[in-house]
Structure formats: C-alpha cells, structure tokens
Amino acid sequence: MTLDAVRNEIREIDERIIDLVAERQKRAAEVARIKQEGGLPIHDPAQRKIVLDRVFTYAVESRIDPVAVRRVFEILVDMSEERQRECSGDGNLP
C-alpha cells in the first residue's frame, strides 16, 4: 500500500470520527431537553467521572494511550455541556 493510500484511509477515518462527534452533539441536545424538563443542572460531575473512567478503562483494554483518550473525552464532554447550555439558551455556540 502506498503512503497516499494510507493517508486517504486515515482521512476517511477522520471524517467518520467527525460524523460520530456530530451524532454525539445531537444526543447532547436531547440530554439538554431532558435535563431542562427535570430541572437538572447541565454540569454533572458524577456523570463526567463515569464517562471519563469508562473511556479510560476501554482505552486500556484497547491498548491505546488511556491518558490521551481521557483528554479527548474531556474535550467531548466539555463540547456536550456547551451544546446543552446552547440548547438551554445560555451557551455561546452559533
């Protein structure tokens, strides 16, 4: 396989990752609605810990750097909370 071919495969994977992040953001909007209906706060430290611990463990099991994966998911959780704030009228997203 050529370098260009491998890079093209990586590009396709990157696009799938972006599609999954977009799907995750859609779910965050659903979470915002449910939290709003239930009078629950957007920031949920216990749930954040559950998510970060889960992905850390899965990364270890998958034999990839769990610290780096945790950092990626910290960003994803932050994005989710921002989306929830936006859906509640308090965010700064477009």
Side-chain angles (χ1 to χ4, degrees), residues 10-28:
I10 289 171
R11 181 188 56 78
E12 290 172 4
I13 292 167
D14 290 347
E15 289 172 359
R16 291 195 324 244
I17 291 169
I18 291 168
D19 290 342
L20 290 170
V21 170
E23 185 65 29
R24 194 178 199 285
Q25 289 294 90
K26 288 178 188 175
R27 297 296 176 260

Side-chain angles (χ1 to χ4, degrees), residues 12-86:
E12 290 172 4
I13 292 167
D14 290 347
E15 289 172 359
R16 291 195 324 244
I17 291 169
I18 291 168
D19 290 342
L20 290 170
V21 170
E23 185 65 29
R24 194 178 199 285
Q25 289 294 90
K26 288 178 188 175
R27 297 296 176 260
E30 293 175 29
V31 168
R33 180 185 53 77
I34 293 166
K35 284 182 176 180
Q36 196 168 28
E37 289 172 358
L40 300 170
I42 289 171
H43 184 66
D44 184 345
Q47 179 62 20
R48 181 183 184 97
K49 181 177 180 348
I50 289 167
V51 170
L52 297 177
D53 289 350
R54 182 183 66 230
V55 300
F56 186 94
T57 299
Y58 191 65
V60 169
E61 293 167 358
S62 299
R63 298 177 186 239
I64 61 174
D65 183 350
V67 174
V69 168
R70 182 182 173 93
R71 285 195 315 259
V72 169
F73 274 84
E74 286 171 346
I75 293 168
L76 291 172
V77 170
D78 288 344
M79 288 174 65
S80 178
E81 288 183 357
E82 183 58 33
R83 174 63 68 195
Q84 291 175 49
R85 280 190 287 280
E86 181 62 26

